């Protein structure tokens, strides 16, 4: 058996941990002080441009300093924030927004509707390099009247406001940014968020100080230190030694071991990240029987139970229970016998199997490779022989954008606004560079939903699409991931379903 | 003659660096992964892809991109990092001192530990002491640096938590530094409180890096010493009444250390390379850690900049070793 470095590190840390006979120093949250071992670095302070703007894991750091245009609660529901009201006019040709009054930037200057308009215009300006510019350009010609803003709809996008709680949906300080420039902003960023940046050493740590004037109330911890600890074994050591009081994204085995220790506790919830297998409309996958058999042969409950130690939730569509278009009536049965019959109808059997390649990452998501290994084993029993090809995630992006993925390819998909456009929509709509399955029948069903103005009809439409996809077996949804957080018993942690770890949601126990 | 040798050496260095630049440029562009594809959010269209490609200059041919980049490098402009959106050269020079400090401290530890055990082993040759040193150095050599890192984290980070597991310096401290050489600057300023904090962060990664190198130094130097100790001029020194320690330190060490010096030079370049994984393990704020992020993010300009600076370091270290070798070996100096 070959063991790669990542596995070796994991096994070594686990073995060393088990061998540890002394009890670890109990993690203590000193009065007003909180230290978090975070799993990613923060490359840039501009939450609206560059790759970090579309990295979901970093959003928790941004949201500590900047407010999103519309707030989102831990259960993914939307709530008044810097905008207290928002909406469309009846014929969806105008948007209206009401700006919260009395809010201050971290430098003490007043937050104004001009900041909102400037941020929206900047986000929609292609010269700034905002990767989500295609959303923000859909509304322009903003007008300010007191604390009310109106804008003209260029092209109706039903999720325009939902994106205000998602990637690049942040308000930045117009006057300050114009004064200090992009470089100055990187050195000393200010927002209206619950925490102010006190000190930042790139790739090392971030010191935050509670914003006493925060409109949502001063956060419980006065000082927060976020250490960027990208190695999972090191994060385990950080929490075990008491050097940090909170950490996240560690192996489930380590989670179980650590929360059994004195002084430590854990929180693990299903978040908006899912594991799935893209099917590509080529080779054996063009045969509906093969696709349906490939889906029916997989025992997702077993994957969760055996590989993910019971953490996570099997799913049958690309929607999770927290999403707007989740339909619990759509079920895909696990039925290996029926899978065999379907394959037999197409001339395949265990002796003459349907053959194709399945691509997967290894170590990018918890047990990704192991899950694919198990699935290939389940497929083999019904008459599908899949050859595993391991690639790096960068390669997956490149192949998917070029529509060159193998007939089957493992991936994880995040959708923290819970809208069907950002789950089923972009993953399955042929013209999207993110989709793998590209056929006219599906595109004809999805196409009209992009501009549907009746919200109830729109959601019902997406549910119907999900049902059709499940029947046709155009994709293999696997599981909704659970995010493990280990923390000192001296700290209460509220998990956000988006997966963002927010110090503002933590309080002393 | 000397000038001619210097110019030839300089030319060789430039050709080496150019070769490295070409190889790195070509390899990372034909390697799997596309920074623009990685940055595409849901809903991005082909127009968005084209716009981002043009923004980062990736819409041109590889040859065009190479010469644009090379002309910038010649002018001291290494481009802008895609992920960090800052000047590459500035980023590299901001991080390089941390890595150099770590590597130099590790080298000092390795030379001290390796040299001491070599001398002790040579002095006590044929005894249990030498056997013990051989066993210890064998163990140190057979365990890779990142695994030493894990062992040290468990021992001195978790079980007896006297050192810090991650970072370069405590976030709570006010840092009065004007250079990025925090450790050396704290010594110069006699700010031993800061020195101790920096050491608490640096010791474990430095030891992890130093142990395998110390073992190599110990084995090679001990072997050389043992050979030299049998030569006539050393025997004569013993006859004159010098103690064994005096014989080793005064007579044998200078000649025996020449091959070790060459080895140390070569190994120092490996040591700098080794910082990549060790810095990651300890979340140490150096160039190696940044290199891994650059690779993960497919940050092409940053990868190119880091590799070129690493290559320059390797070339300069080799040059320094050659010069020191010539300095210590008169035959080469006059040859």
């Amino acid at each position: 058996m070959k063991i790669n470095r990542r596995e070796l590190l994991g096994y070594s840390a686990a073995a060393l941990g088990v061998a540890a006979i002394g009890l670890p120093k109990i993690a203590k949250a000193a009065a007003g002080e909180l230290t978090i071992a975070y799993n990613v670095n923060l490359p840039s302070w501009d939450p609206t441009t560059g790759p970090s703007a579309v990295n979901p894991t970093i959003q928790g750091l941004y949201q500590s300093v900047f407010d999103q245009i519309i707030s989102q609660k831990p259960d993914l529901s939307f709530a008044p924030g810097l905008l207290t009201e928002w909406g469309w006019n009846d014929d969806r040709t105008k948007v209206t927004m009401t700006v919260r009054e009395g809010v201050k930037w971290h430098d003490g200057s007043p937050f104004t509707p001009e900041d909102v308009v400037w941020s929206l215009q900047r986000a929609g300006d292609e010269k700034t390099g905002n990767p989500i510019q295609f959303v923000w350009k859909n509304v322009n010609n903003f007008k300010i009247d007191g604390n009310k803003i109106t804008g003209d709809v260029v092209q109706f996008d039903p999720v325009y406001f939902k994106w205000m709680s998602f990637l690049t949906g942040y308000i930045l300080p117009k006057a300050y940014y114009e004064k200090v420039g992009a470089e100055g902003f990187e050195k000393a960023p200010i927002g209206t968020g619950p925490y102010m940046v006190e000190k930042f050493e790139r790739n090392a740590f971030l010191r935050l100080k509670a914003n006493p004037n925060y409109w949502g109330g001063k956060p419980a911890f006065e000082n927060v230190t976020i250490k960027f600890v990208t190695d999972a074994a090191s994060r385990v050591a950080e929490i075990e030694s008491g050097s940090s009081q909170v950490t996240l994204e560690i192996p489930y085995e380590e989670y179980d071991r650590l929360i059994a220790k004195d002084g430590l506790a854990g929180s693990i919830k299903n978040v908006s990240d899912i594991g799935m297998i893209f099917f590509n409309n080529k080779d054996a996958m063009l045969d509906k029987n093969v696709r349906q058999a490939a889906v029916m042969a997989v025992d997702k409950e077993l994957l969760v139970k055996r590989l993910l130690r019971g953490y996570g939730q099997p799913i049958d569509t690309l929607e999770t229970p927290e999403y707007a278009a989740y339909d619990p009536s759509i079920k895909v049965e696990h039925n290996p016998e029926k899978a065999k019959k379907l394959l037999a109808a197409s001339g395949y059997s265990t002796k003459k199997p349907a053959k194709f390649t399945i691509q997967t990452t290894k170590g990018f998501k918890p047990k990704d490779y192991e899950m694919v290994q198990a699935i290939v084993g389940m497929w083999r029993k019904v008459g599908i022989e899949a050859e595993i090809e391991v690639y790096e995630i960068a390669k997956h992006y490149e192949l998917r954008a070029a529509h060159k993925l193998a007939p089957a390819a493992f991936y994880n998909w995040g959708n923290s606004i819970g809208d069907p456009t950002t789950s089923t929509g972009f993953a399955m709509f042929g013209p999207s560079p993110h989709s793998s399955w590209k056929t006219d029948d599906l595109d004809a069903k999805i196409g009209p939903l992009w501009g549907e103005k009746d919200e109830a009809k729109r959601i019902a439409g997406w549910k119907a699409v999900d049902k059709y996809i499940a029947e046709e077996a155009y994709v293999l949804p696997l599981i909704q991931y659970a995010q493990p957080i280990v923390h000192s018993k001296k700290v209460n942690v509220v998990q956000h379903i988006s997966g963002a770890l927010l110090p503002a949601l933590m309080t002393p126990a | 003659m000397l000038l001619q040798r210097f110019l030839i050496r300089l030319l060789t260095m430039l050709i080496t660096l150019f070769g490295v630049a070409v190889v790195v440029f070509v390899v990372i562009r034909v390697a799997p992964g596309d920074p623009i594809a990685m940055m595409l959010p849901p809903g991005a269209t082909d127009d968005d892809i084209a716009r981002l490609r043009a923004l980062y200059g990736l819409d041109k041919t590889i040859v065009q991109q190479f010469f644009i980049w090379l002309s910038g490098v010649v002018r001291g402009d290494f481009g802008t990092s895609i992920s960090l959106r800052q000047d590459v050269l500035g980023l590299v020079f901001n991080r390089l001192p941390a890595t150099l400090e770590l590597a130099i401290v590790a080298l000092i530890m390795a030379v001290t530990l390796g040299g001491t055990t070599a001398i002790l082993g040579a002095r006590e040759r044929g005894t249990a002491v030498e056997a013990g040193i051989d066993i210890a150095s064998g163990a140190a050599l057979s365990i890779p640096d990142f695994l030493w890192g894990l062992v040290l984290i468990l021992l001195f980070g978790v079980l007896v938590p006297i050192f810090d597991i991650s970072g370069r310096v405590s976030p709570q401290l006010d840092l009065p530094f004007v250079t990025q050489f925090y450790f050396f600057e704290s010594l110069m300023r006699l700010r031993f409180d800061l020195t101790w904090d920096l050491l608490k962060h640096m010791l474990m990664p430095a030891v992890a890096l130093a142990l395998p190198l110390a073992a190599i130094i110990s084995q090679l130097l001990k072997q050389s010493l043992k050979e030299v100790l049998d030569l006539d001029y050393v025997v004569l020194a013993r006859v004159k009444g010098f103690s064994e320690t005096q014989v080793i330190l005064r007579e044998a060490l200078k000649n025996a250390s020449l091959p070790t010096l060459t080895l140390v030079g070569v190994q120092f370049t490996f040591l700098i390379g080794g910082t990549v994984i060790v810095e990651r393990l300890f979340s140490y704020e150096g160039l190696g850690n940044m290199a891994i992020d650059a690779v993960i993010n497919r940050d092409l300009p940053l990868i190119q900049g880091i590799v070129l600076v690493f290559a320059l370091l390797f070339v300069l270290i080799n040059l320094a070793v050659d010069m020191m070798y010539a300095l210590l070996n008169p035959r080469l100096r006059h040859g």
Side-chain angles (χ1 to χ4, degrees), chain A residues 143-165:
Chain A
K143 289 189 176 64
I144 298 171
D145 180 12
N147 68 333
K148 307 267 186 201
I149 298 170
T150 56
D152 293 340
V153 174
V154 179
Q155 187 179 331
F156 175 69
D157 180 356
V159 284
Y160 179 71
F161 286 115
K162 286 188 178 179
W163 271 95
M164 290 187 174
S165 297

PDB file of all heavy atoms in Angstrom, chain A residues 143-165:
ATOM      1  N   LYS A 143     -29.677  55.789  -7.849  1.00  0.00           N
ATOM      2  CA  LYS A 143     -30.012  57.143  -7.377  1.00  0.00           C
ATOM      3  C   LYS A 143     -30.212  57.089  -5.866  1.00  0.00           C
ATOM      4  O   LYS A 143     -30.774  56.127  -5.330  1.00  0.00           O
ATOM      5  CB  LYS A 143     -31.296  57.627  -8.051  1.00  0.00           C
ATOM      6  CG  LYS A 143     -31.124  57.947  -9.537  1.00  0.00           C
ATOM      7  CD  LYS A 143     -32.360  58.623 -10.095  1.00  0.00           C
ATOM      8  CE  LYS A 143     -32.155  59.026 -11.552  1.00  0.00           C
ATOM      9  NZ  LYS A 143     -31.958  57.886 -12.429  1.00  0.00           N
ATOM     10  N   ILE A 144     -29.736  58.149  -5.211  1.00  0.00           N
ATOM     11  CA  ILE A 144     -29.828  58.194  -3.742  1.00  0.00           C
ATOM     12  C   ILE A 144     -30.815  59.282  -3.335  1.00  0.00           C
ATOM     13  O   ILE A 144     -30.751  60.414  -3.822  1.00  0.00           O
ATOM     14  CB  ILE A 144     -28.444  58.494  -3.119  1.00  0.00           C
ATOM     15  CG1 ILE A 144     -27.465  57.373  -3.465  1.00  0.00           C
ATOM     16  CG2 ILE A 144     -28.550  58.668  -1.606  1.00  0.00           C
ATOM     17  CD1 ILE A 144     -26.021  57.667  -3.099  1.00  0.00           C
ATOM     18  N   ASP A 145     -31.684  58.917  -2.430  1.00  0.00           N
ATOM     19  CA  ASP A 145     -32.621  59.895  -1.874  1.00  0.00           C
ATOM     20  C   ASP A 145     -32.676  59.645  -0.369  1.00  0.00           C
ATOM     21  O   ASP A 145     -33.338  58.709   0.082  1.00  0.00           O
ATOM     22  CB  ASP A 145     -34.006  59.712  -2.524  1.00  0.00           C
ATOM     23  CG  ASP A 145     -35.019  60.716  -1.969  1.00  0.00           C
ATOM     24  OD1 ASP A 145     -34.585  61.673  -1.283  1.00  0.00           O
ATOM     25  OD2 ASP A 145     -36.230  60.524  -2.184  1.00  0.00           O
ATOM     26  N   GLY A 146     -31.956  60.467   0.373  1.00  0.00           N
ATOM     27  CA  GLY A 146     -31.860  60.227   1.821  1.00  0.00           C
ATOM     28  C   GLY A 146     -31.144  58.910   2.068  1.00  0.00           C
ATOM     29  O   GLY A 146     -30.004  58.729   1.615  1.00  0.00           O
ATOM     30  N   ASN A 147     -31.789  58.000   2.777  1.00  0.00           N
ATOM     31  CA  ASN A 147     -31.150  56.689   2.985  1.00  0.00           C
ATOM     32  C   ASN A 147     -31.762  55.635   2.068  1.00  0.00           C
ATOM     33  O   ASN A 147     -31.604  54.431   2.302  1.00  0.00           O
ATOM     34  CB  ASN A 147     -31.245  56.265   4.454  1.00  0.00           C
ATOM     35  CG  ASN A 147     -32.664  55.964   4.877  1.00  0.00           C
ATOM     36  OD1 ASN A 147     -33.597  56.508   4.293  1.00  0.00           O
ATOM     37  ND2 ASN A 147     -32.824  55.106   5.875  1.00  0.00           N
ATOM     38  N   LYS A 148     -32.486  56.100   1.032  1.00  0.00           N
ATOM     39  CA  LYS A 148     -33.079  55.170   0.055  1.00  0.00           C
ATOM     40  C   LYS A 148     -32.250  55.186  -1.232  1.00  0.00           C
ATOM     41  O   LYS A 148     -31.808  56.239  -1.680  1.00  0.00           O
ATOM     42  CB  LYS A 148     -34.510  55.581  -0.302  1.00  0.00           C
ATOM     43  CG  LYS A 148     -35.417  55.786   0.879  1.00  0.00           C
ATOM     44  CD  LYS A 148     -36.167  54.527   1.202  1.00  0.00           C
ATOM     45  CE  LYS A 148     -37.193  54.802   2.301  1.00  0.00           C
ATOM     46  NZ  LYS A 148     -37.595  53.593   2.994  1.00  0.00           N
ATOM     47  N   ILE A 149     -32.063  53.989  -1.789  1.00  0.00           N
ATOM     48  CA  ILE A 149     -31.340  53.872  -3.070  1.00  0.00           C
ATOM     49  C   ILE A 149     -32.263  53.156  -4.051  1.00  0.00           C
ATOM     50  O   ILE A 149     -32.910  52.162  -3.704  1.00  0.00           O
ATOM     51  CB  ILE A 149     -30.052  53.040  -2.907  1.00  0.00           C
ATOM     52  CG1 ILE A 149     -29.095  53.709  -1.928  1.00  0.00           C
ATOM     53  CG2 ILE A 149     -29.361  52.840  -4.261  1.00  0.00           C
ATOM     54  CD1 ILE A 149     -27.903  52.839  -1.534  1.00  0.00           C
ATOM     55  N   THR A 150     -32.299  53.676  -5.272  1.00  0.00           N
ATOM     56  CA  THR A 150     -33.002  52.942  -6.331  1.00  0.00           C
ATOM     57  C   THR A 150     -32.005  52.669  -7.451  1.00  0.00           C
ATOM     58  O   THR A 150     -31.021  53.403  -7.624  1.00  0.00           O
ATOM     59  CB  THR A 150     -34.189  53.738  -6.907  1.00  0.00           C
ATOM     60  OG1 THR A 150     -33.696  55.006  -7.361  1.00  0.00           O
ATOM     61  CG2 THR A 150     -35.293  53.924  -5.887  1.00  0.00           C
ATOM     62  N   GLY A 151     -32.254  51.610  -8.194  1.00  0.00           N
ATOM     63  CA  GLY A 151     -31.388  51.276  -9.325  1.00  0.00           C
ATOM     64  C   GLY A 151     -32.203  50.688 -10.456  1.00  0.00           C
ATOM     65  O   GLY A 151     -33.274  50.101 -10.212  1.00  0.00           O
ATOM     66  N   ASP A 152     -31.713  50.862 -11.671  1.00  0.00           N
ATOM     67  CA  ASP A 152     -32.426  50.323 -12.835  1.00  0.00           C
ATOM     68  C   ASP A 152     -31.914  48.925 -13.166  1.00  0.00           C
ATOM     69  O   ASP A 152     -30.700  48.687 -13.195  1.00  0.00           O
ATOM     70  CB  ASP A 152     -32.212  51.225 -14.058  1.00  0.00           C
ATOM     71  CG  ASP A 152     -32.877  52.584 -13.857  1.00  0.00           C
ATOM     72  OD1 ASP A 152     -33.783  52.664 -12.992  1.00  0.00           O
ATOM     73  OD2 ASP A 152     -32.479  53.552 -14.524  1.00  0.00           O
ATOM     74  N   VAL A 153     -32.846  48.035 -13.418  1.00  0.00           N
ATOM     75  CA  VAL A 153     -32.482  46.666 -13.771  1.00  0.00           C
ATOM     76  C   VAL A 153     -32.109  46.597 -15.252  1.00  0.00           C
ATOM     77  O   VAL A 153     -32.910  46.955 -16.112  1.00  0.00           O
ATOM     78  CB  VAL A 153     -33.652  45.697 -13.463  1.00  0.00           C
ATOM     79  CG1 VAL A 153     -33.341  44.294 -13.970  1.00  0.00           C
ATOM     80  CG2 VAL A 153     -33.933  45.682 -11.968  1.00  0.00           C
ATOM     81  N   VAL A 154     -30.897  46.189 -15.533  1.00  0.00           N
ATOM     82  CA  VAL A 154     -30.461  46.001 -16.926  1.00  0.00           C
ATOM     83  C   VAL A 154     -30.943  44.645 -17.408  1.00  0.00           C
ATOM     84  O   VAL A 154     -31.482  44.499 -18.497  1.00  0.00           O
ATOM     85  CB  VAL A 154     -28.920  46.086 -17.021  1.00  0.00           C
ATOM     86  CG1 VAL A 154     -28.456  45.860 -18.449  1.00  0.00           C
ATOM     87  CG2 VAL A 154     -28.422  47.406 -16.478  1.00  0.00           C
ATOM     88  N   GLN A 155     -30.750  43.660 -16.575  1.00  0.00           N
ATOM     89  CA  GLN A 155     -31.220  42.307 -16.881  1.00  0.00           C
ATOM     90  C   GLN A 155     -31.665  41.676 -15.572  1.00  0.00           C
ATOM     91  O   GLN A 155     -30.898  41.649 -14.603  1.00  0.00           O
ATOM     92  CB  GLN A 155     -30.090  41.489 -17.516  1.00  0.00           C
ATOM     93  CG  GLN A 155     -30.562  40.138 -18.001  1.00  0.00           C
ATOM     94  CD  GLN A 155     -29.421  39.351 -18.649  1.00  0.00           C
ATOM     95  OE1 GLN A 155     -28.494  39.926 -19.201  1.00  0.00           O
ATOM     96  NE2 GLN A 155     -29.507  38.046 -18.560  1.00  0.00           N
ATOM     97  N   PHE A 156     -32.894  41.191 -15.555  1.00  0.00           N
ATOM     98  CA  PHE A 156     -33.430  40.653 -14.288  1.00  0.00           C
ATOM     99  C   PHE A 156     -32.678  39.379 -13.878  1.00  0.00           C
ATOM    100  O   PHE A 156     -32.554  38.453 -14.669  1.00  0.00           O
ATOM    101  CB  PHE A 156     -34.928  40.361 -14.427  1.00  0.00           C
ATOM    102  CG  PHE A 156     -35.498  39.697 -13.202  1.00  0.00           C
ATOM    103  CD1 PHE A 156     -35.613  40.396 -12.008  1.00  0.00           C
ATOM    104  CD2 PHE A 156     -35.899  38.365 -13.234  1.00  0.00           C
ATOM    105  CE1 PHE A 156     -36.116  39.773 -10.870  1.00  0.00           C
ATOM    106  CE2 PHE A 156     -36.405  37.740 -12.095  1.00  0.00           C
ATOM    107  CZ  PHE A 156     -36.511  38.453 -10.916  1.00  0.00           C
ATOM    108  N   ASP A 157     -32.208  39.380 -12.659  1.00  0.00           N
ATOM    109  CA  ASP A 157     -31.546  38.209 -12.093  1.00  0.00           C
ATOM    110  C   ASP A 157     -32.214  37.933 -10.746  1.00  0.00           C
ATOM    111  O   ASP A 157     -32.053  38.707  -9.802  1.00  0.00           O
ATOM    112  CB  ASP A 157     -30.043  38.508 -11.895  1.00  0.00           C
ATOM    113  CG  ASP A 157     -29.302  37.325 -11.303  1.00  0.00           C
ATOM    114  OD1 ASP A 157     -29.953  36.313 -10.970  1.00  0.00           O
ATOM    115  OD2 ASP A 157     -28.068  37.416 -11.159  1.00  0.00           O
ATOM    116  N   PRO A 158     -32.983  36.862 -10.644  1.00  0.00           N
ATOM    117  CA  PRO A 158     -33.751  36.629  -9.413  1.00  0.00           C
ATOM    118  C   PRO A 158     -32.890  36.483  -8.163  1.00  0.00           C
ATOM    119  O   PRO A 158     -33.398  36.626  -7.050  1.00  0.00           O
ATOM    120  CB  PRO A 158     -34.518  35.342  -9.709  1.00  0.00           C
ATOM    121  CG  PRO A 158     -33.874  34.731 -10.906  1.00  0.00           C
ATOM    122  CD  PRO A 158     -33.214  35.818 -11.658  1.00  0.00           C
ATOM    123  N   VAL A 159     -31.601  36.173  -8.339  1.00  0.00           N
ATOM    124  CA  VAL A 159     -30.758  35.981  -7.141  1.00  0.00           C
ATOM    125  C   VAL A 159     -29.847  37.187  -6.865  1.00  0.00           C
ATOM    126  O   VAL A 159     -28.919  37.086  -6.077  1.00  0.00           O
ATOM    127  CB  VAL A 159     -29.905  34.691  -7.242  1.00  0.00           C
ATOM    128  CG1 VAL A 159     -30.749  33.468  -6.992  1.00  0.00           C
ATOM    129  CG2 VAL A 159     -29.210  34.575  -8.568  1.00  0.00           C
ATOM    130  N   TYR A 160     -30.154  38.319  -7.488  1.00  0.00           N
ATOM    131  CA  TYR A 160     -29.326  39.513  -7.292  1.00  0.00           C
ATOM    132  C   TYR A 160     -29.162  39.825  -5.797  1.00  0.00           C
ATOM    133  O   TYR A 160     -28.044  40.034  -5.316  1.00  0.00           O
ATOM    134  CB  TYR A 160     -29.978  40.694  -8.022  1.00  0.00           C
ATOM    135  CG  TYR A 160     -29.252  42.009  -7.885  1.00  0.00           C
ATOM    136  CD1 TYR A 160     -28.030  42.230  -8.511  1.00  0.00           C
ATOM    137  CD2 TYR A 160     -29.804  43.044  -7.121  1.00  0.00           C
ATOM    138  CE1 TYR A 160     -27.373  43.448  -8.396  1.00  0.00           C
ATOM    139  CE2 TYR A 160     -29.155  44.259  -7.004  1.00  0.00           C
ATOM    140  CZ  TYR A 160     -27.944  44.457  -7.633  1.00  0.00           C
ATOM    141  OH  TYR A 160     -27.293  45.659  -7.518  1.00  0.00           O
ATOM    142  N   PHE A 161     -30.261  39.837  -5.070  1.00  0.00           N
ATOM    143  CA  PHE A 161     -30.162  40.183  -3.646  1.00  0.00           C
ATOM    144  C   PHE A 161     -29.520  39.057  -2.831  1.00  0.00           C
ATOM    145  O   PHE A 161     -28.831  39.320  -1.853  1.00  0.00           O
ATOM    146  CB  PHE A 161     -31.546  40.531  -3.092  1.00  0.00           C
ATOM    147  CG  PHE A 161     -32.039  41.882  -3.558  1.00  0.00           C
ATOM    148  CD1 PHE A 161     -33.158  41.992  -4.376  1.00  0.00           C
ATOM    149  CD2 PHE A 161     -31.374  43.039  -3.199  1.00  0.00           C
ATOM    150  CE1 PHE A 161     -33.603  43.219  -4.822  1.00  0.00           C
ATOM    151  CE2 PHE A 161     -31.814  44.284  -3.646  1.00  0.00           C
ATOM    152  CZ  PHE A 161     -32.934  44.378  -4.462  1.00  0.00           C
ATOM    153  N   LYS A 162     -29.762  37.824  -3.241  1.00  0.00           N
ATOM    154  CA  LYS A 162     -29.130  36.719  -2.505  1.00  0.00           C
ATOM    155  C   LYS A 162     -27.605  36.778  -2.629  1.00  0.00           C
ATOM    156  O   LYS A 162     -26.879  36.455  -1.695  1.00  0.00           O
ATOM    157  CB  LYS A 162     -29.653  35.371  -3.020  1.00  0.00           C
ATOM    158  CG  LYS A 162     -31.076  35.048  -2.581  1.00  0.00           C
ATOM    159  CD  LYS A 162     -31.443  33.634  -2.949  1.00  0.00           C
ATOM    160  CE  LYS A 162     -32.857  33.310  -2.468  1.00  0.00           C
ATOM    161  NZ  LYS A 162     -33.268  31.943  -2.820  1.00  0.00           N
ATOM    162  N   TRP A 163     -27.148  37.201  -3.812  1.00  0.00           N
ATOM    163  CA  TRP A 163     -25.698  37.323  -3.993  1.00  0.00           C
ATOM    164  C   TRP A 163     -25.111  38.374  -3.049  1.00  0.00           C
ATOM    165  O   TRP A 163     -23.919  38.405  -2.794  1.00  0.00           O
ATOM    166  CB  TRP A 163     -25.352  37.682  -5.450  1.00  0.00           C
ATOM    167  CG  TRP A 163     -25.174  36.469  -6.316  1.00  0.00           C
ATOM    168  CD1 TRP A 163     -26.104  35.877  -7.103  1.00  0.00           C
ATOM    169  CD2 TRP A 163     -23.982  35.697  -6.483  1.00  0.00           C
ATOM    170  NE1 TRP A 163     -25.583  34.777  -7.746  1.00  0.00           N
ATOM    171  CE2 TRP A 163     -24.276  34.648  -7.394  1.00  0.00           C
ATOM    172  CE3 TRP A 163     -22.686  35.780  -5.961  1.00  0.00           C
ATOM    173  CZ2 TRP A 163     -23.340  33.696  -7.772  1.00  0.00           C
ATOM    174  CZ3 TRP A 163     -21.748  34.830  -6.343  1.00  0.00           C
ATOM    175  CH2 TRP A 163     -22.079  33.801  -7.239  1.00  0.00           C
ATOM    176  N   MET A 164     -25.952  39.254  -2.537  1.00  0.00           N
ATOM    177  CA  MET A 164     -25.439  40.278  -1.616  1.00  0.00           C
ATOM    178  C   MET A 164     -24.963  39.663  -0.296  1.00  0.00           C
ATOM    179  O   MET A 164     -24.328  40.323   0.508  1.00  0.00           O
ATOM    180  CB  MET A 164     -26.520  41.333  -1.365  1.00  0.00           C
ATOM    181  CG  MET A 164     -26.781  42.197  -2.586  1.00  0.00           C
ATOM    182  SD  MET A 164     -27.898  43.547  -2.204  1.00  0.00           S
ATOM    183  CE  MET A 164     -27.858  44.463  -3.754  1.00  0.00           C
ATOM    184  N   SER A 165     -25.299  38.384  -0.078  1.00  0.00           N
ATOM    185  CA  SER A 165     -24.775  37.677   1.111  1.00  0.00           C
ATOM    186  C   SER A 165     -23.749  36.634   0.708  1.00  0.00           C
ATOM    187  O   SER A 165     -23.417  35.752   1.489  1.00  0.00           O
ATOM    188  CB  SER A 165     -25.916  36.953   1.835  1.00  0.00           C
ATOM    189  OG  SER A 165     -26.843  37.871   2.314  1.00  0.00           O
TER     190      SER A 165
END
